[in-house]
Structures are given as structure tokens and as C-alpha cells.
């Protein structure tokens, strides 16, 4: 939402190991889930490298990258998923480890485990490809546990597929192979972005029994479902404290109500439904399948996207916003209908949410407000979604429904503050999830 800034299959030989790496183009996608008991416990929306201050353009060579994330579902085993979606060469990972995170880049003594890929420590991921690791036993994980994933790149990676902003934790960089390092001392640099790490899945002990395959439906009943929030910077949690994005707060509400259910975040700052951006990732229509429908265990998605589509044409173009042709309400609605069709084809429920008020923001004009009014009316009244949440009403100034209420405004009249994100989470009827 910020204007100024904002896996096709390949056979990979690993010595005597031959690994099928499933890849997808921007127009097609193949789910990587092979084991029906896996469920996504953390994910992030990946994007192409950009010139903003981060490590994505330069990538890594002879370095370890330790990334601390918070999983939303526990389990007896985990696996990591890596993406080379936007690489310019084969990604060669020399090795990886997982551990329970301590303070900063430090890890808990004795918790580090080597990650393997079909039994091998190293793995190669082709351009546009993704790969999932073998299962790793990391006991004692529960919802909210912090996990440190360390990737060691002996060879140059080239530009890194990554996720910018909104990290619940941080990424750390060190020289050499520091996978087993527990103190964190060698990790002298940090970043607020994630690199190559696209997801973490967990598997519960009761499910991890040979000879007990489960259907998608039975798995959903056992796990009570998985919700993925899909959207732009408001979903990604811009201008709030890490860990207090609206999907995090919604997950906490579900747990407090005795309905523990992960709510994972597939938000991407500056993202649009209908157009790509050099700074803000592929259009939502392209990434929806990869970032939502292909995630193992997903049962419901919440879609909040469109404000950048209607707003970017109202401000001077820059390298992050082009192309930015004016769009119509009908075009946005057609895009939403595509998401609904794709979700239903995969047996996933899709909840629509109205776009919050934005009068006073840089992207607000009479024209963009008119599109906002028409699109929000369709979201509320069309009956095409499986449920609707009215964020526009929940966040509105009572005296002017086109403006964020002062107590919810982060200051740019576009992004909510922490109280606003909490109001969003509170506005969701838990029964629809």
C-alpha cells in the first residue's frame, strides 16, 4: 500500500540422490504437498528482489543466513520450504539447520537439528523452483514457538527471492558455515526481511503414524482448519508492532475462544490484484494459487486487496507503481470473482472484506473514492463470497465513513495502527472460519 516504496518440474541430481523439484510459472502452479498430514504453520509471500535497503539484490556467498520466525501451529516434526521463484540461476544450498530460537540470533543449546532433502544435506533449486525438506524432529513446538532456520550458501546465490517488511522477528547474516552456532555472536548483521524461506509446515504426533493416510476433509476436522489472510500492506501489518498484525490477533482470538486455528499471513506490501510491481510483487491474481491455495491444509482464505489498484493511478508514477493505468470497479470485481472461482475449485472457502476508509491519504481522490464505494457495496451485497467482514465500517470515523477513525489511524490515513488492527481482528465473526 505504500506508493513511494513500497514453482514446470525439474530433476535435480544430488550425488546419488535424485530429487524431483516442483516448479511453477507465474501462470501455473503445482502444489508441493505430498504428505496429507502436513499443515502450513508459517508462510510468507515471496517477491522479486528490489533496490530498497535489503540483501535481496546482492544475495549471499560464503555466508549463513539465520531467520527467526514464529510458527502458528505446533507439532512433533517440521519441514521447511524454500523458493527460488525469482532467481537468475540455480540456487545451491550447501546445508541448513533448524533450532529453537533464543534471544536475537542465538538458539537454545542442544536444539539444533540438521535439515536434509531426500537424505542429502545439500540441494539445488532451479530458477522458478521450490523444494520441501525431509521431516525434522523438533520436539516441544507449540503455537507461538520461535524457530530459527539457518541456511548456508557456499556458492553465490545471485539475487534472492525474498519477502520485504513485516517480519515477526528478524534475519541475521554471518560469514562462513554457522549452522550449529548457538550463541549468535557471529551473526553481526540483521535484516527485517526473509530470504528464500517460503514456509514451514508441521505434523502432529498423532498424525505421524505409518499406515494412517487421511483425506483432506478428515484432516481439516482433526486440525480444525487453517486460515490464510491474503492481501497487501494492511494484511502484512505495515505500521504496527511485529506480531500484532490483524491475522496474529485473529489467531489469538480463536485460541481464546477455545478454537485454536492458525491464521497465516500472505500479505505483501504495495501489492495489487490486477497489476505487477517491481517493488511489490506479482499481481494477486497470479500469486493467489501459490501463496494460498497450494498451502498444505488451508481451509479458508480472507482476501483484502484492491486499494493500491484504485489508488496508484491517482499519484505520480514511479518505478514501484508502473504500470498504473486507471482501473474500474468492474475490473476489480472481475478479479475478485476469479479468486472466488479458484478457491472454490480447490475446496477452499473465501471470505471477502471491504477496503478500509482512506480519505486524506495520498491515493485518495474523488475518482478512487467512487471506485471504493462501488466495490465495497458489491463485496457486502453480492452474496458471492462465503462470508463478508466489513472492515470499512469497523474502522470508520462515525462523522465521516470515508475516513479512518482517529483512534485507528497510524498517521498516513491509510494504514491502521495497533488499535485499528485489533479492531479488524475483532470484527471477524469466528463462526465463518
Amino acid at each position: 500500500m505504500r506508493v513511494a516504496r513500497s514453482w514446470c518440474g525439474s530433476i535435480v541430481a544430488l550425488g546419488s540422490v535424485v530429487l524431483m523439484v516442483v516448479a511453477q510459472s507465474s501462470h501455473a502452479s503445482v502444489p508441493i504437498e505430498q504428505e496429507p498430514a502436513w499443515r502450513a504453520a508459517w508462510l510468507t509471500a515471496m517477491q522479486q528482489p528490489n533496490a530498497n535497503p535489503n540483501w535481496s539484490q546482492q544475495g549471499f556467498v560464503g555466508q549463513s543466513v539465520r531467520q527467526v520466525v514464529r510458527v502458528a501451529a505446533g507439532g512433533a516434526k517440521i519441514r521447511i520450504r524454500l523458493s527460488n521463484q525469482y532467481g537468475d540461476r540455480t540456487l545451491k544450498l550447501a546445508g541448513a539447520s533448524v533450532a529453537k530460537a533464543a534471544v536475537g540470533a542465538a538458539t537454545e543449546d542442544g536444539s539444533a537439528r540438521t535439515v536434509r532433502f531426500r537424505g542429502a544435506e545439500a540441494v539445488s533449486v532451479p530458477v522458478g523452483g521450490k523444494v520441501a525438506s525431509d521431516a525434522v524432529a523438533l520436539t516441544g513446538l507449540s503455537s507461538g514457538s520461535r524457530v530459527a532456520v539457518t541456511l548456508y550458501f557456499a556458492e553465490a546465490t545471485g539475487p534472492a527471492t525474498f519477502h520485504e517488511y513485516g517480519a515477526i522477528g528478524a534475519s541475521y547474516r554471518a560469514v562462513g558455515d554457522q549452522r550449529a552456532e548457538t550463541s549468535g555472536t557471529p551473526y553481526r548483521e540483521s535484516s527485517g526481511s526473509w530470504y528464500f524461506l517460503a514456509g514451514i509446515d508441521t505434523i502432529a504426533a498423532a498424525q505421524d503414524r505409518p499406515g494412517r493416510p487421511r483425506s483432506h476433509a478428515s484432516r481439516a476436522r482433526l486440525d480444525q482448519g487453517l486460515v490464510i489472510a491474503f492481501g497487501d500492506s494492511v494484511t502484512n501489518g505495515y505500521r504496527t508492532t511485529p506480531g500484532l498484525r490483524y491475522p496474529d490477533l485473529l489467531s489469538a482470538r480463536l485460541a481464546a475462544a477455545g478454537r485454536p486455528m492458525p491464521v497465516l499471513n500472505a500479505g505483501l506490501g504495495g501489492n495489487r490484484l490486477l497489476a505487477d510491481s517491481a517493488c511489490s510483487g506479482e499481481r494477486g491474481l497470479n500469486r493467489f494459487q501459490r501463496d494460498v491455495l497450494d498451502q498444505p491444509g488451508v481451509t479458508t482464505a480472507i482476501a483484502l486487496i484492491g486499494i493500491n489498484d484504485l489508488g496508484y493511478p491517482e499519484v505520480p508514477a514511479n518505478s514501484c507503481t508502473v504500470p498504473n493505468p486507471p482501473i474500474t470497479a468492474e475490473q476489480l470485481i472481475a478479479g475478485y470473482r476469479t479468486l472466488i472461482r479458484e478457491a472454490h475449485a480447490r475446496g477452499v472457502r473465501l471470505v471477502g472484506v471491504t477496503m478500509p476508509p482512506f480519505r486524506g491519504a495520498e491515493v485518495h481522490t474523488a475518482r478512487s473514492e467512487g471506485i471504493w464505494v462501488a466495490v465495497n457495496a458489491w463485496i457486502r451485497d453480492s452474496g458471492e463470497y462465503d462470508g463478508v467482514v466489513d472492515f470499512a465500517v469497523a474502522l470508520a470515523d462515525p462523522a465521516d465513513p470515508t475516513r479512518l477513525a482517529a483512534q485507528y489511524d497510524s498517521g498516513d490515513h491509510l494504514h491502521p495502527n495497533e488499535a485499528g488492527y485489533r479492531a479488524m481482528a475483532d470484527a471477524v465473526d469466528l463462526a465463518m472460519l
Side-chain angles (χ1 to χ4, degrees), residues 168-213:
I168 310 174
S171 296
Y172 304 89
R173 184 167 64 180
V175 175
D177 184 357
Q178 304 291 346
R179 286 175 290 167
E181 220 304 315
T182 61
S183 72
T185 302
Y187 291 91
R188 298 177 180 178
E189 301 173 274
S190 64
S191 169
S193 301
W194 290 303
Y195 303 88
F196 299 115
L197 182 63
I200 295 179
D201 307 326
T202 59
I203 184 170
Q207 297 170 291
D208 189 30
R209 297 177 185 172
R212 295 189 63 183

Side-chain angles (χ1 to χ4, degrees), residues 45-373:
M46 307 304 277
Q47 63 192 99
Q48 60 268 54
N50 65 42
N52 290 331
N54 57 65
W55 301 334
S56 66
Q57 286 197 323
Q58 67 197 78
F60 311 96
V61 57
Q63 295 169 313
S64 295
V65 182
R66 178 164 291 175
Q67 306 182 70
V68 178
V69 304
R70 191 183 305 274
V71 295
K77 294 183 179 181
I78 71 170
R79 68 179 181 185
I80 66 172
R81 290 185 276 122
L82 307 177
S83 170
N84 192 27
Q85 178 74 30
Y86 304 106
D88 66 0
R89 69 196 72 181
T90 297
L91 174 66
K92 296 181 179 180
L93 177 71
S97 68
V98 294
K100 294 179 182 178
V103 177
T107 60
E108 293 186 11
D109 288 340
S111 69
R113 301 289 184 269
T114 297
V115 175
R116 299 181 184 275
F117 301 83
R118 293 290 179 92
E121 289 193 21
V123 68
S124 294
V125 189
V127 173
K130 62 182 178 181
V131 65
S133 75
D134 300 343
V136 181
L138 193 62
T139 58
L141 292 184
S142 59
S143 177
S145 292
R146 296 168 63 250
V147 177
V149 178
T150 306
L151 308 177
Y152 171 51
F153 303 104
E155 301 182 38
T157 65
T161 298
F162 85 127
H163 177 94
E164 188 174 24
Y165 310 121
I168 310 174
S171 296
Y172 304 89
R173 184 167 64 180
V175 175
D177 184 357
Q178 304 291 346
R179 286 175 290 167
E181 220 304 315
T182 61
S183 72
T185 302
Y187 291 91
R188 298 177 180 178
E189 301 173 274
S190 64
S191 169
S193 301
W194 290 303
Y195 303 88
F196 299 115
L197 182 63
I200 295 179
D201 307 326
T202 59
I203 184 170
Q207 297 170 291
D208 189 30
R209 297 177 185 172
R212 295 189 63 183
R214 296 183 183 272
S215 67
H216 179 88
S218 65
R219 184 175 73 256
R221 287 193 299 270
L222 179 63
D223 291 342
Q224 298 187 49
L226 166 64
V227 180
I228 297 179
F230 177 77
D232 48 41
S233 58
V234 173
T235 297
N236 200 39
Y238 185 55
R239 291 193 165 219
T240 192
T241 304
L244 294 177
R245 304 175 293 180
Y246 101 78
D248 306 319
L249 299 168
L250 179 56
S251 184
R253 273 193 68 208
L254 285 161
R259 293 185 56 202
M261 184 188 304
V263 182
L264 305 189
N265 196 311
L268 191 56
N271 197 232
R272 288 175 286 184
L273 182 66
L274 305 177
D276 300 336
S277 165
C279 302
S280 306
E282 286 187 73
R283 68 196 70 183
L285 288 176
N286 281 358
R287 72 181 186 88
F288 182 67
Q289 183 163 317
R290 178 177 68 239
D291 292 344
V292 177
L293 302 183
D294 287 350
Q295 299 298 322
V298 60
T299 52
T300 300
I302 304 172
L304 171 57
I305 191 167
I307 199 74
N308 296 317
D309 295 81
L310 62 87
Y312 281 3
E314 308 304 315
V315 297
N318 62 47
S319 60
C320 290
T321 64
V322 294
N324 62 345
I327 60 100
T328 66
E330 290 74 21
Q331 287 174 305
L332 264 181
I333 290 168
Y336 296 145
R337 284 176 166 149
T338 297
L339 299 185
I340 294 168
R341 286 195 302 270
E342 291 181 353
H344 290 172
R346 295 287 289 272
V348 174
R349 301 177 70 256
L350 187 59
V351 175
V353 296
T354 55
M355 292 178 282
F358 66 116
R359 178 178 288 275
E362 183 181 13
V363 295
H364 179 273
T365 63
R367 183 180 183 279
S368 60
E369 182 183 310
I371 298 172
W372 173 81
V373 170

Side-chain angles (χ1 to χ4, degrees), residues 383-401:
E384 298 191 33
Y385 284 105
D386 297 293
V388 172
V389 183
D390 205 335
F391 285 163
V393 169
L395 297 174
D397 182 337
D400 182 357

